[in-house]
Amino acid sequence: MNNDFYTECLVTKAPTGADTAKRIGIGLAAAILAAAALWFIVFPVSILVIAGVFYGAYYLMTGIDAEYEYILTNGDIDIDKIIGKRKRKRLLSASIGDFTAFGTLDEAPDFNGTTVLASSGSGKDYYADFVHKSEGNVRLIFTPNEKILDGMELFLPRQLKMEFKRKRVRLEKPDTNNQ
């Protein structure tokens, strides 16, 4: 009998006002550089410079977009940040059995330590506190789906599992047709 557990979830970060301001600033800078290229650089070369400026602006603007991938494998959670759908960076790896606190973010106690934000910013956020071997006290803030929550529930320490089951409100109704 195989008891392996694996699931993953991709969450897109909702754009913030700061993201919009960055995009506007990049667009304005690109327009000013393109106008300056037309004004100060000889015509055939200016077209190449303008193309480079707009490609650079596109590259920078898409680099503002972020997604978070949560991967849950046999009690270990890995969280990667995907920037502009072209670059992946590992934010965190932790064992769910090491969690000292877990629940919805609105019920989280005060915290002193490193915070890892991997949340969409537009859903029901959860937190998990644990001690990391190199970072010390860490709080993870994230937006898991029901499959991730179901999997985490399997591997939580006993006391946290009981508290979580008691307080848990399901986000989606389970599918009872596929049995």
Side-chain angles (χ1 to χ4, degrees):
M1 176 142 194
N2 191 355
N3 291 330
D4 288 344
F5 185 88
Y6 175 84
T7 189
E8 59 184 36
C9 172
L10 190 66
V11 175
T12 303
K13 180 181 161 272
T16 63
D19 294 340
T20 303
K22 289 175 189 175
R23 284 189 173 91
I24 290 171
I26 291 168
L28 287 174
I32 291 169
L33 287 172
L38 276 176
W39 188 262
F40 294 111
I41 300 175
V42 180
F43 177 70
V45 177
S46 66
I47 297 299
L48 292 173
V49 171
I50 291 171
V53 164
F54 283 117
Y55 175 76
Y58 166 78
Y59 187 84
L60 291 173
M61 283 185 185
T62 58
I64 295 171
D65 298 331
E67 296 174 322
Y68 299 101
E69 183 178 42
Y70 313 141
I71 302 168
L72 183 60
T73 309
N74 296 334
D76 293 325
I77 188 161
D78 297 316
I79 298 183
D80 295 343
K81 182 176 184 178
I82 303 167
I83 303 165
K85 295 186 180 182
R86 65 176 169 258
K87 183 180 176 186
R88 177 180 295 263
K89 177 182 174 187
R90 175 67 40 96
L91 289 182
L92 174 77
S93 289
S95 175
I96 294 170
D98 293 339
F99 286 3
T100 57
F102 178 71
T104 58
L105 187 59
D106 56 354
E107 64 187 26
D110 290 338
F111 179 75
N112 187 13
T114 303
T115 300
V116 176
L117 182 61
S119 166
S120 69
S122 62
K124 186 162 184 173
D125 292 339
Y126 283 77
Y127 79 98
D129 294 344
F130 57 96
V131 178
H132 191 267
K133 56 187 162 208
S134 62
E135 297 295 324
N137 290 334
V138 174
R139 172 168 284 171
L140 168 64
I141 299 173
F142 64 124
T143 312
N145 63 10
E146 285 297 317
K147 282 181 89 173
I148 295 286
L149 288 173
D150 290 342
M152 292 180 79
E153 188 176 322
L154 295 173
F155 300 101
L156 282 171
R158 178 181 227 158
Q159 184 61 34
L160 290 179
K161 185 185 292 190
M162 290 187 326
E163 289 175 24
F164 182 65
K165 279 184 173 184
R166 186 173 40 87
K167 294 179 182 179
R168 184 168 182 193
V169 176
R170 296 223 175 247
L171 301 174
E172 304 163 358
K173 292 185 178 185
D175 187 9
T176 57
N177 294 333
N178 296 339
Q179 297 194 10

